[in-house]
Amino acid sequence: EYPSYDASDRVGKKNMLTYSITNSLTTESDRRRFCRFKLKQSYDISEAGDEWADSDEKERFSPISGEIELTPAAFLSLYADAEWSLYENIFQSRNVAITLSDMRGDRLFTAYRYEQGVRESLYTDLKINVSEMLSVYADYERNLYDRKEIKKSLGFLYRAQCWSLDIHHAYESGDHRYAFMLNLNGLGGVGTAK
């Protein structure tokens, strides 16, 4: 009875139980969190049925997902996550990333990404604050399977007191895109992309 605008405006039927454990470690001196570890898995109750031993039934347990985040220093963080399939006995995905930053807000992020049968790539993005009002940013991703570029972009962000201007160029899957965005703080943004 309601119109459908996009895929995110409908919630599909689910009957699922999710359980997880999260552990955070903090330093005693300044109470800064330097490690967070999480394990999670879901069980699909709707797929369970009455036949527990039926070999043709669908997979009821989701992959076991784990993630760890380490912050050994104020301007360094390490992150890793993975999904392990109980049914295939393999890693379905795994990602490792490192972030370096400084007091000005400059940031370098680099990641290795793997998803079974879909991709294996290296990704990096960089943001440099040229001044208090002007930033330059770029990102780059390369497929390790066929040694081709997946995407690359370059942009500039100018921030004033109550508005900002974002201009960038992106190249992805053979398409060039140019964008011009004017953001009004507290009101939203308008822009064009070609």
Side-chain angles (χ1 to χ4, degrees), residues 24 33 60-61 64 77-78 88 91 110 115 118 125 133 135-136 138 158 163-164 174-175 189:
S24 293
R33 184 179 78 185
R60 296 186 302 263
F61 289 97
I64 298 171
S77 68
L78 306 163
E88 298 177 60
F91 281 106
T110 302
E115 192 173 345
V118 177
D125 74 45
M133 300 170 78
S135 298
V136 178
Y158 179 82
W163 60 275
S164 64
D175 291 331

Side-chain angles (χ1 to χ4, degrees), residues 143-159:
N143 189 333
L144 297 177
Y145 285 140
D146 59 11
R147 296 185 176 146
K148 291 185 179 176
E149 291 178 343
I150 297 173
K151 71 175 185 175
K152 59 183 174 182
S153 71
L154 175 65
F156 302 91
L157 177 65
Y158 179 82
R159 291 178 301 276

Side-chain angles (χ1 to χ4, degrees), residues 21-28 30-39 66-74 76-80:
I21 184 169
T22 303
N23 193 8
S24 293
L25 303 174
T26 59
T27 61
E28 191 171 335
D30 59 1
R31 295 288 184 212
R32 181 180 55 85
R33 184 179 78 185
F34 69 89
C35 178
R36 184 182 65 82
F37 177 76
K38 180 178 182 180
L39 281 175
E67 57 185 69
I68 186 166
E69 185 178 352
L70 299 169
T71 312
L76 170 67
S77 68
L78 306 163
Y79 176 85

